[in-house]
Amino acid sequence: MYDCIVIGGGPAGLAAASAAWEQGLRKILLAERDVELGGILNQCIHNGFGLHYFKEELTGPEYAARFAEKLRETGVEVRMDTMVLDLKGAPGRREVHMVSRDKGYCIEEARSVILAMGCRERTRGAISIPGTRPAGVFTAGAAQRYVNMEGWLPGERIVILGSGDIGLIMARRLTLEGAKVLACVELMPYSGGLTRNIVQCLQDYNIPLYLSHTVTEIRGKDRVEQVVVSQVDGRRNPIPGTEMVFDCDTLLLSVGLIPENELSRQAGAEMDPRTNGPRVAENMESISLSGVFACGNVAHVHDLVDFVTEESLRAGAAAAHYVQSQGWESADGEGPVLPVQPGPGVSYVLPQAVRPAEMDKTCTLSFRVSQVFGPCKIILKAGEAQIASFPRERLAPGEMERIPLPKVLLERAQAQSVSVSVEEVSAQ
Amino acid sequence: MKDLICIVCPKGCHLQVDEEHDYAVSGFGCPRGIAYGKAELTAPTRTITSTVRCRGGLYPRCPVKTSKPVPKASIPAVMEALNGVSLTAPVSLGQVVLADVAGTGADIQTTRSMQQR
Ligand SMILES: Cc1cc2nc3c(=O)[nH]c(=O)nc-3n(C[C@H](O)[C@H](O)[C@H](O)COP(=O)(O)OP(=O)(O)OC[C@H]3O[C@@H](n4cnc5c(N)ncnc54)[C@H](O)[C@@H]3O)c2cc1C
Ligand code: SF4
């Protein structure tokens, strides 16, 4: 029986496994379906990773290598080329079903489990564009892998739908490799990516960004030949007469990421429809599955790997604590569980619940706003009472925001719930 | 006055740079923004990341970067120079594969190790 099984060897899994080891667990297994550790970072060859955590600017593979190296120095057992298929069992005795070429199908038992499976990209089916179904439509992440690892260009004249970070990064990458990126088209009136990526990936290369526009038709027989782009109104409906036709051979989709949670659902984890991840408490433990923790993109989509690392270190340490204190004996925990809810202006908050009895001095609340805000304040409430507020110059849905929830304030308020909301501050 | 967005860190501060007054910068969240604001209007630089050919490795491309930021205007020349580089696995992380690329004073170094296939 393992103390802990970590599912996924991306930055989340690597940090969680290291932390669990550092906190004293000695029987840890990490299962990764790929042939190397590092997850999505291996294809993110651009720099911009590690500014918070290492205080230096690293590329994705360099960031991954540091954590893979750290893990190698521990006694964590790593199984590569191993796909986890199912998670069953009861608190204190979870069963992880996995399959690999050399070991075949096997079931390993563990006191605790850490979900770190990352996320996958939304595809065209999920957003259904009218028109033909020619070759030449790729997700931006797939294109990233082709260009950066396999070494082939998906096309020569490219339109990108969606302005998430991967799309922006790929606009620059493909331009540098000699392709012509004609346009980046975004449905919303604001970009879904980091502002710095708009500047250094689009503006640096004079690639136009069409906000409040979408692709309304894909044309072409065997291969994409044209895409039609139209402006949309306030309700996101295309406005007739605004059509622009681009002659191109490739359409990249950068229309969002979805946490990879087949396993979590199968295991019966209670899910948050807003994050598409399991609902977790302050220590990243699933609210419904005792001893099952989630961290990184499987819990909610992150834009910065540094925060993935930080969250995952906490999850790993919490799993160690769970095993050492035999958390399955008191599976329901002691003391109240307060739901944490998104208020006006906020689309989700993680964790979805806090247990004051289990909290450290503070707990970080991560959230995203539901629209772009200029000068504003973040309001933290316990019950109906405001317990803290945080001024901000600007908030955008593309950038995750974090605030501390201090335990003393929470206890003093004696409330039954916590909420986070954002209010515009009128200019004086 | 020129409005810029600082790209040094993900915060993306909105800077104002005064060209008439020795490129005085305001709106920065930390001192790195001052240096960036001034440099961006006088001598803009970027760190370039790309890939080079790699024979016999786990993957056919090996990622690389410039060892320091290079002038923005030199980007095409740097990319051109990378086309001529071909490595053979195994490759170690941080290995210099091209010194003083395109006369920029920066080296090209690998950003991952590449084991043999
Ligand atoms: C294209 C892209 C660009 C980005 N750019 C930046 C940037 O510039 N700066 C920055 O700081 N952050 C960036 N990020 C964000 C950051 O890299 C991610 O948030 C981070 O990599 C997420 O880590 P993770 O471990 O949760 O997921 P992943 O890296 O996706 O790792 C998940 C791992 O789990 C494995 N796995 C999944 N399911 C199973 C299973 N059933 N069994 C076994 N293994 C499984 C996968 O193979 C994978 O290795 C970017 C993200 C993407 C996608
Ligand atoms: S000024 Fe400082 S804090 Fe603001 S974006 Fe630049 S580096 Fe980041």
Side-chain angles (χ1 to χ4, degrees):
Chain A
M1 164 106 71
Y2 287 95
D3 286 333
C4 183
I5 294 180
V6 180
I7 308 174
L14 291 172
S18 301
W21 176 269
E22 253 157 49
Q23 293 301 315
L25 295 193
R26 284 297 170 265
K27 295 208 65 185
I28 305 173
L29 171 66
L30 185 150
E32 167 58 56
R33 68 178 170 200
D34 203 344
V35 294
E36 57 180 351
L37 295 172
I40 198 83
L41 291 180
N42 290 321
Q43 67 183 61
C44 300
I45 63 154
H46 58 281
N47 59 347
F49 299 82
L51 279 162
H52 286 267
Y53 193 78
F54 290 113
K55 304 282 179 263
E56 58 180 306
E57 199 168 32
L58 301 173
T59 65
E62 289 172 310
Y63 191 95
R66 292 210 178 176
F67 280 94
E69 189 51 43
K70 201 170 158 206
L71 192 76
R72 226 162 277 135
E73 288 161 10
T74 67
V76 171
E77 177 186 342
V78 177
R79 285 194 206 163
M80 304 300 300
D81 224 342
T82 300
M83 172 96 180
V84 174
L85 300 174
D86 208 352
L87 171 59
K88 292 192 166 119
R93 191 172 270 276
R94 297 282 171 200
E95 288 172 12
V96 182
H97 296 235
M98 53 188 92
V99 62
S100 67
R101 208 164 298 161
D102 48 324
K103 286 203 161 62
Y105 191 99
C106 63
I107 302 173
E108 300 292 355
E109 288 186 329
R111 297 287 189 199
S112 66
V113 172
I114 298 177
L115 306 172
M117 293 92 74
C119 56
R120 62 190 148 81
E121 289 177 287
R122 273 181 219 274
T123 53
R124 184 162 70 143
I127 53 160
S128 55
I129 303 166
T132 52
R133 295 283 178 274
V137 182
F138 303 91
T139 63
Q144 189 177 43
R145 191 177 165 97
Y146 297 146
V147 177
N148 292 345
M149 298 178 76
E150 319 284 350
W152 58 273
L153 268 183
E156 280 162 13
R157 292 175 60 82
I158 297 165
V159 169
I160 300 178
L161 174 60
S163 62
D165 287 315
I166 317 175
L168 300 176
I169 296 281
M170 284 313 290
R172 171 177 66 184
R173 185 77 192 107
L174 290 161
T175 305
L176 283 175
E177 288 298 341
K180 176 85 188 147
V181 179
L182 303 166
C184 178
V185 179
E186 170 61 55
L187 180 66
M188 304 303 283
Y190 49 83
S191 159
L194 297 173
T195 316
R196 70 195 298 251
N197 286 338
I198 306 273
V199 175
Q200 61 184 356
C201 299
L202 297 185
Q203 291 173 8
D204 269 8
Y205 298 92
N206 299 315
I207 299 167
L209 170 62
Y210 296 97
L211 297 174
S212 296
H213 279 73
T214 192
V215 171
T216 42
E217 194 188 336
I218 300 172
R219 296 176 184 162
K221 224 172 107 230
D222 301 320
R223 176 82 196 195
V224 174
E225 286 163 23
Q226 291 182 324
V227 301
V228 182
V229 171
S230 307
Q231 199 181 336
V232 297
D233 61 23
R235 300 167 69 186
R236 298 184 219 164
N237 293 319
I239 305 172
T242 61
E243 295 83 3
M244 291 183 283
V245 178
F246 290 93
D247 291 318
C248 60
D249 55 25
T250 302
L251 175 66
L252 289 194
L253 304 174
S254 176
V255 290
L257 301 167
I258 320 174
E260 179 82 64
N261 275 300
E262 292 305 300
L263 261 180
S264 323
R265 275 194 203 92
Q266 260 165 261
E270 201 181 301
M271 305 296 286
D272 182 342
R274 300 185 186 94
T275 55
N276 285 307
R279 288 164 51 86
V280 294
E282 72 294 326
N283 60 353
M284 305 307 291
E285 184 177 2
S286 156
I287 284 173
S288 50
L289 297 176
S290 161
V292 176
F293 299 76
C295 53
N297 278 356
V298 83
H300 57 143
V301 175
H302 290 252
D303 358 276
L304 293 177
V305 72
D306 307 65
F307 297 150
V308 170
T309 297
E310 194 206 281
E311 182 178 288
S312 308
L313 290 173
R314 278 196 283 128
H321 177 73
Y322 176 87
V323 173
Q324 286 153 353
S325 64
Q326 305 193 341
W328 51 90
E329 300 287 346
S330 56
D332 299 324
E334 281 124 48
V337 181
L338 313 187
V340 181
Q341 280 147 349
V346 173
S347 56
Y348 78 80
V349 188
L350 186 132
Q352 286 86 353
V354 291
R355 297 167 294 189
E358 308 283 328
M359 259 174 87
D360 292 332
K361 266 197 203 114
T362 65
C363 157
T364 301
L365 302 182
S366 306
F367 66 94
R368 283 178 196 271
V369 287
S370 50
Q371 63 181 83
V372 175
F373 285 95
C376 58
K377 58 181 181 185
I378 302 165
I379 296 168
L380 179 57
K381 284 185 183 169
E384 290 305 305
Q386 177 174 328
I387 56 173
S389 92
F390 307 83
R392 289 289 187 275
E393 278 309 309
R394 203 185 105 88
L395 289 175
E399 310 190 3
M400 186 201 292
E401 185 60 44
R402 294 151 32 105
I403 54 170
L405 168 64
K407 182 176 177 171
V408 275
L409 294 184
L410 190 59
E411 285 179 332
R412 206 177 297 155
Q414 293 197 328
Q416 301 307 308
S417 68
V418 174
S419 75
V420 179
S421 55
V422 175
E423 270 175 22
E424 201 95 31
V425 191
S426 48
Q428 291 87 13
Chain B
M1 274 295 188
K2 187 112 184 155
D3 290 319
L4 288 182
I5 287 165
C6 179
I7 59 169
V8 177
C9 89
K11 222 168 169 185
C13 293
H14 291 241
L15 309 176
Q16 292 88 42
V17 188
D18 191 342
E19 298 117 303
E20 260 112 75
H21 292 93
D22 193 29
Y23 299 94
V25 179
S26 54
F28 51 86
C30 82
R32 285 181 299 173
I34 305 175
Y36 172 79
K38 185 165 180 182
E40 189 63 11
L41 294 192
T42 51
T45 60
R46 297 286 185 268
T47 296
I48 303 177
T49 60
S50 188
T51 62
V52 296
R53 197 169 303 130
C54 183
R55 283 176 225 279
L58 183 57
Y59 298 104
R61 304 295 294 188
C62 180
V64 295
K65 69 175 180 185
T66 53
S67 56
K68 59 180 186 188
V70 298
K72 233 172 122 176
S74 70
I75 295 178
V78 170
M79 289 302 293
E80 187 60 42
L82 291 182
N83 286 337
V85 178
S86 183
L87 307 177
T88 304
V91 172
S92 56
L93 195 164
Q95 195 174 318
V96 172
V97 299
L98 195 59
D100 187 18
V101 60
T104 57
D107 296 336
I108 296 291
Q109 58 190 55
T110 58
T111 54
R112 69 164 283 167
S113 59
M114 187 69 79
Q115 58 271 50
Q116 275 166 310
R117 191 169 36 217

